[in-house]
Amino acid sequence: MDAYFIATILIFLSAIFGFINVRFLKLPNTIGLMVMTIVFTLGVFLLSYFDATLLNIEKSIITKIDFKTVLLDEMLSFLLFAGALHTNFEQLKIQRWPILLFSTLGVLTSTFLVGGAIFVLLELFNFSADFIYCLLFGALISPTDPIAVLGILKKAGVPKKLETKIVGESLFNDGVGVVVFLTIFQIAQSGIDNETTFNVFKLFGQEVVGGVVLGGILGYLCYKLMKAIDDYDIEVIITLAAVMGGTVIAHKLHVSAPLAMVTAGLIVGNDTVRSSSMSKITEKYVDKFWELLDILLNAILFVLIGMEMLVLVFEGKYIIVGLIAIPIVLLCRYVSLFLPIKIFAKKLEFVPKTNLIMTWGGLRGGISIALALGLSTEMHRDLFLVITYIVVIFSIIAQGLTVGKLVNKFKA
């Protein structure tokens, strides 16, 4: 089963499930595709009692796809660039300080709060998981997923000021969250005694600062090249080359590719840059190309999330811990947002109940699952993967479908 065949199956399923959702279910596409895939996978499970052919095919596809590598090293750069490209830069500039605090202090606070709470919870259920492994779970579940957030908020009717905060936070805290996870992962692997504070800060600083600097250089190069010509098809290719080439360079330099792509996307999408480097037709084609790519990759991603059920080890205690983890993660997010919101609430005129809406609207997605899949067996991979999956599914379906109602309730 080669890569072309697997890609064909995934796109075919995305098309069929997408059609059924638009025609009958009428859910947001990301939620609809994932729900349809989960139902399909459960149906395949039931059918396997009579004929295991479909189950074997689905298992074969999943085992041949390295979800962590595909999402974090390949798909994520395209998705984040596309999301940043269509983010309101002026609003982002106004909200930059709370967004900075949300995506740094907020992620770190949530990581330690979730890690501590899960450590206590696992002790109650007689799981002997080291605190450092619980911190790893806190790091992978704390960042909100821009891929899940962007598509759903567009249809939720969230006020622009608040939408910018949630989207801006999710774009940046994704990159920061991955760096925090990798830093703790390195400590967990080598042992805390072998890692100096300097090494930890060096790794964190290199990834974050290096990613932003690389993104700035890429964005500036894109701007200069696009300004020098007026040919929309070549200009579209320039943006594609920046993302693909930039991702390769980021991996070689060991800097954060997600933060690089967000920075580059914000620069290229900035209204000032657009007006001075793109003609109207170029702007239209660049936007449509990245919008279409975003839709396609989103569809494939959420089909994959549904299919990842096949790698889970279902045990009763795992599921119970996962269900209890849902309110724990939400409460820790609420607490982690409290201080940044308190600092800027009056100055930037936050909408009423900002903390509550940002807590419920901060969805988890494929990035959390991808990071959980990267855990080793001694890090209790099976346990944390089930907990992560349960939190993510609840987040996307329950929170994703109700965040619009919550916003409307407080608007009234």
Side-chain angles (χ1 to χ4, degrees), residues 57-346:
I57 291 172
E58 194 169 344
K59 277 185 175 177
S60 179
I61 290 171
I62 285 299
T63 52
K64 282 183 170 58
I65 297 172
D66 184 343
F67 186 84
K68 181 174 181 284
T69 301
V70 167
L71 177 56
L72 295 183
D73 294 347
E74 294 163 13
M75 290 173 69
L76 188 56
S77 291
F78 295 95
L79 290 163
L80 289 179
F81 183 85
L85 191 69
H86 299 112
T87 300
N88 187 318
F89 187 84
E90 290 308 313
Q91 267 297 317
L92 198 66
K93 193 175 174 184
I94 294 168
Q95 308 287 346
R96 64 188 180 279
W97 295 117
I99 287 171
L100 179 65
L101 278 185
F102 292 147
S103 57
T104 51
L105 180 64
V107 170
L108 287 168
T109 304
S110 177
T111 295
F112 281 90
L113 288 175
V114 172
I118 291 296
F119 179 73
V120 173
L121 178 64
L122 294 182
E123 286 287 311
L124 293 174
F125 279 84
N126 297 318
F127 287 113
S128 56
D130 292 347
F131 180 65
I132 192 76
Y133 302 147
C134 296
L135 272 185
L136 271 175
F137 173 73
L140 68 87
I141 208 68
S142 290
T144 53
D145 190 332
I147 303 158
V149 170
L150 283 164
I152 292 165
L153 285 186
K154 285 175 186 174
K155 294 189 176 181
V158 176
K160 277 294 172 191
K161 282 183 182 178
L162 185 54
E163 184 184 328
T164 303
K165 289 184 188 73
I166 298 174
V167 171
E169 178 213 4
S170 63
L171 283 170
F172 283 102
N173 78 7
D174 163 60
V176 173
V178 171
V179 174
V180 171
F181 175 86
L182 292 175
T183 305
I184 298 172
F185 189 88
Q186 184 166 314
I187 295 169
Q189 275 191 319
S190 59
I192 196 158
D193 296 332
N194 297 323
E195 285 293 338
T196 65
T197 305
F198 174 75
N199 285 341
V200 170
F201 278 102
K202 181 187 172 190
L203 173 65
F204 190 84
Q206 178 184 327
E207 288 274 350
V208 173
V209 177
V212 172
V213 170
L214 176 62
I217 293 168
L218 288 169
Y220 180 74
L221 283 174
C222 261
Y223 160 68
K224 295 300 283 185
L225 290 171
M226 293 168 79
K227 189 178 181 182
I229 61 173
D230 184 14
D231 190 308
Y232 64 84
D233 48 358
I234 299 301
E235 290 179 70
V236 169
I237 294 170
I238 287 170
T239 61
L240 183 60
V243 173
M244 297 180 77
T247 303
V248 171
I249 294 168
H251 291 152
K252 293 289 183 187
L253 297 177
H254 302 290
V255 300
S256 174
L259 287 174
M261 292 309 110
V262 169
T263 307
L266 287 172
I267 291 171
V268 176
N270 180 4
D271 286 343
T272 307
V273 172
R274 281 172 177 264
S275 61
S276 61
S277 65
M278 301 185 209
S279 64
K280 288 294 180 188
I281 190 166
T282 296
E283 197 173 345
K284 178 184 173 183
Y285 273 86
V286 167
D287 283 341
K288 289 299 178 186
F289 172 80
W290 282 103
E291 196 177 312
L292 180 60
L293 198 58
D294 187 37
I295 291 166
L296 175 61
L297 292 179
N298 257 305
I300 293 170
L301 172 61
F302 281 87
V303 167
L304 276 173
I305 290 174
M307 292 174 76
E308 284 295 322
M309 278 182 66
L310 292 173
V311 305
L312 301 181
V313 177
F314 287 104
E315 284 191 21
K317 282 170 77 173
Y318 289 6
I319 295 169
I320 292 168
V321 171
L323 292 171
I324 297 172
I326 293 170
I328 287 175
V329 170
L330 285 170
L331 180 62
C332 291
R333 173 162 170 79
Y334 185 89
V335 173
S336 70
L337 294 173
F338 184 80
L339 184 60
I341 288 174
K342 202 74 178 169
I343 292 170
F344 293 102
K346 288 184 180 177

Side-chain angles (χ1 to χ4, degrees), residues 327-394:
I328 287 175
V329 170
L330 285 170
L331 180 62
C332 291
R333 173 162 170 79
Y334 185 89
V335 173
S336 70
L337 294 173
F338 184 80
L339 184 60
I341 288 174
K342 202 74 178 169
I343 292 170
F344 293 102
K346 288 184 180 177
K347 185 179 178 183
L348 293 175
E349 298 177 354
F350 280 24
V351 301
K353 305 293 182 184
T354 290
N355 201 342
L356 186 61
I357 296 170
M358 284 191 70
T359 297
W360 197 251
L363 310 182
R364 274 71 182 183
I367 292 162
S368 294
I369 293 174
L371 292 174
L373 284 165
L375 297 174
S376 60
T377 307
E378 63 268 19
M379 294 172 180
H380 304 276
R381 178 182 184 272
D382 291 340
L383 167 63
F384 286 124
L385 188 54
V386 170
I387 298 172
T388 302
Y389 199 85
I390 289 170
V391 172
V392 167
I393 297 303
F394 176 86

